[in-house]
PDB file of all heavy atoms in Angstrom:
ATOM      1  N   LEU A  56      21.742  16.132   0.495  1.00 91.00           N
ATOM      2  CA  LEU A  56      20.335  16.394   0.247  1.00 91.00           C
ATOM      3  C   LEU A  56      19.971  17.526   1.189  1.00 91.00           C
ATOM      4  O   LEU A  56      19.775  17.302   2.385  1.00 91.00           O
ATOM      5  CB  LEU A  56      19.489  15.149   0.506  1.00 91.00           C
ATOM      6  CG  LEU A  56      17.993  15.251   0.174  1.00 91.00           C
ATOM      7  CD1 LEU A  56      17.799  15.571  -1.304  1.00 91.00           C
ATOM      8  CD2 LEU A  56      17.284  13.971   0.522  1.00 91.00           C
ATOM      9  N   GLY A  57      19.966  18.731   0.669  1.00 90.00           N
ATOM     10  CA  GLY A  57      19.780  19.905   1.527  1.00 90.00           C
ATOM     11  C   GLY A  57      21.003  20.056   2.412  1.00 90.00           C
ATOM     12  O   GLY A  57      22.124  20.101   1.940  1.00 90.00           O
ATOM     13  N   GLU A  58      20.788  20.105   3.710  1.00 89.00           N
ATOM     14  CA  GLU A  58      21.873  20.257   4.674  1.00 89.00           C
ATOM     15  C   GLU A  58      22.443  18.921   5.142  1.00 89.00           C
ATOM     16  O   GLU A  58      23.450  18.889   5.845  1.00 89.00           O
ATOM     17  CB  GLU A  58      21.367  21.043   5.896  1.00 89.00           C
ATOM     18  CG  GLU A  58      20.928  22.459   5.584  1.00 89.00           C
ATOM     19  CD  GLU A  58      22.115  23.346   5.231  1.00 89.00           C
ATOM     20  OE1 GLU A  58      23.168  23.218   5.866  1.00 89.00           O
ATOM     21  OE2 GLU A  58      21.981  24.147   4.288  1.00 89.00           O
ATOM     22  N   SER A  59      21.807  17.806   4.782  1.00 90.00           N
ATOM     23  CA  SER A  59      22.191  16.499   5.297  1.00 90.00           C
ATOM     24  C   SER A  59      23.018  15.698   4.307  1.00 90.00           C
ATOM     25  O   SER A  59      22.868  15.836   3.098  1.00 90.00           O
ATOM     26  CB  SER A  59      20.949  15.688   5.656  1.00 90.00           C
ATOM     27  OG  SER A  59      20.259  16.294   6.708  1.00 90.00           O
ATOM     28  N   LEU A  60      23.862  14.834   4.851  1.00 92.00           N
ATOM     29  CA  LEU A  60      24.622  13.890   4.052  1.00 92.00           C
ATOM     30  C   LEU A  60      23.917  12.541   4.128  1.00 92.00           C
ATOM     31  O   LEU A  60      23.824  11.937   5.195  1.00 92.00           O
ATOM     32  CB  LEU A  60      26.054  13.756   4.586  1.00 92.00           C
ATOM     33  CG  LEU A  60      26.934  12.741   3.869  1.00 92.00           C
ATOM     34  CD1 LEU A  60      27.178  13.168   2.416  1.00 92.00           C
ATOM     35  CD2 LEU A  60      28.253  12.582   4.599  1.00 92.00           C
ATOM     36  N   VAL A  61      23.388  12.090   3.001  1.00 95.00           N
ATOM     37  CA  VAL A  61      22.713  10.799   2.916  1.00 95.00           C
ATOM     38  C   VAL A  61      23.766   9.742   2.591  1.00 95.00           C
ATOM     39  O   VAL A  61      24.614   9.948   1.720  1.00 95.00           O
ATOM     40  CB  VAL A  61      21.615  10.810   1.829  1.00 95.00           C
ATOM     41  CG1 VAL A  61      20.951   9.449   1.703  1.00 95.00           C
ATOM     42  CG2 VAL A  61      20.592  11.892   2.123  1.00 95.00           C
ATOM     43  N   ILE A  62      23.721   8.632   3.313  1.00 96.00           N
ATOM     44  CA  ILE A  62      24.665   7.534   3.090  1.00 96.00           C
ATOM     45  C   ILE A  62      23.872   6.241   2.936  1.00 96.00           C
ATOM     46  O   ILE A  62      22.990   5.963   3.741  1.00 96.00           O
ATOM     47  CB  ILE A  62      25.638   7.384   4.273  1.00 96.00           C
ATOM     48  CG1 ILE A  62      26.422   8.670   4.489  1.00 96.00           C
ATOM     49  CG2 ILE A  62      26.584   6.205   4.055  1.00 96.00           C
ATOM     50  CD1 ILE A  62      27.242   8.680   5.759  1.00 96.00           C
ATOM     51  N   ASP A  63      24.183   5.480   1.890  1.00 95.00           N
ATOM     52  CA  ASP A  63      23.602   4.147   1.785  1.00 95.00           C
ATOM     53  C   ASP A  63      24.613   3.207   1.162  1.00 95.00           C
ATOM     54  O   ASP A  63      25.603   3.638   0.564  1.00 95.00           O
ATOM     55  CB  ASP A  63      22.256   4.138   1.051  1.00 95.00           C
ATOM     56  CG  ASP A  63      22.344   4.582  -0.386  1.00 95.00           C
ATOM     57  OD1 ASP A  63      23.432   4.586  -0.970  1.00 95.00           O
ATOM     58  OD2 ASP A  63      21.295   4.909  -0.957  1.00 95.00           O
ATOM     59  N   GLY A  64      24.405   1.922   1.378  1.00 97.00           N
ATOM     60  CA  GLY A  64      25.338   0.935   0.861  1.00 97.00           C
ATOM     61  C   GLY A  64      24.971  -0.460   1.303  1.00 97.00           C
ATOM     62  O   GLY A  64      23.824  -0.735   1.672  1.00 97.00           O
ATOM     63  N   HIS A  65      25.963  -1.327   1.289  1.00 97.00           N
ATOM     64  CA  HIS A  65      25.779  -2.745   1.583  1.00 97.00           C
ATOM     65  C   HIS A  65      26.841  -3.183   2.583  1.00 97.00           C
ATOM     66  O   HIS A  65      27.998  -2.770   2.484  1.00 97.00           O
ATOM     67  CB  HIS A  65      25.921  -3.554   0.283  1.00 97.00           C
ATOM     68  CG  HIS A  65      25.767  -5.014   0.452  1.00 97.00           C
ATOM     69  ND1 HIS A  65      24.542  -5.634   0.446  1.00 97.00           N
ATOM     70  CD2 HIS A  65      26.682  -5.986   0.643  1.00 97.00           C
ATOM     71  CE1 HIS A  65      24.725  -6.934   0.612  1.00 97.00           C
ATOM     72  NE2 HIS A  65      26.021  -7.166   0.746  1.00 97.00           N
ATOM     73  N   ALA A  66      26.469  -4.037   3.542  1.00 96.00           N
ATOM     74  CA  ALA A  66      27.417  -4.557   4.533  1.00 96.00           C
ATOM     75  C   ALA A  66      27.259  -6.062   4.656  1.00 96.00           C
ATOM     76  O   ALA A  66      26.137  -6.576   4.699  1.00 96.00           O
ATOM     77  CB  ALA A  66      27.188  -3.895   5.884  1.00 96.00           C
ATOM     78  N   ASP A  67      28.399  -6.746   4.706  1.00 96.00           N
ATOM     79  CA  ASP A  67      28.421  -8.197   4.886  1.00 96.00           C
ATOM     80  C   ASP A  67      28.881  -8.527   6.296  1.00 96.00           C
ATOM     81  O   ASP A  67      29.833  -7.927   6.800  1.00 96.00           O
ATOM     82  CB  ASP A  67      29.377  -8.858   3.888  1.00 96.00           C
ATOM     83  CG  ASP A  67      28.913  -8.706   2.459  1.00 96.00           C
ATOM     84  OD1 ASP A  67      27.705  -8.901   2.206  1.00 96.00           O
ATOM     85  OD2 ASP A  67      29.752  -8.393   1.591  1.00 96.00           O
TER      86      ASP A  67
END
Side-chain angles (χ1 to χ4, degrees):
L56 185 60
E58 297 290 320
S59 295
L60 177 65
V61 178
I62 301 171
D63 63 18
H65 179 85
D67 294 316

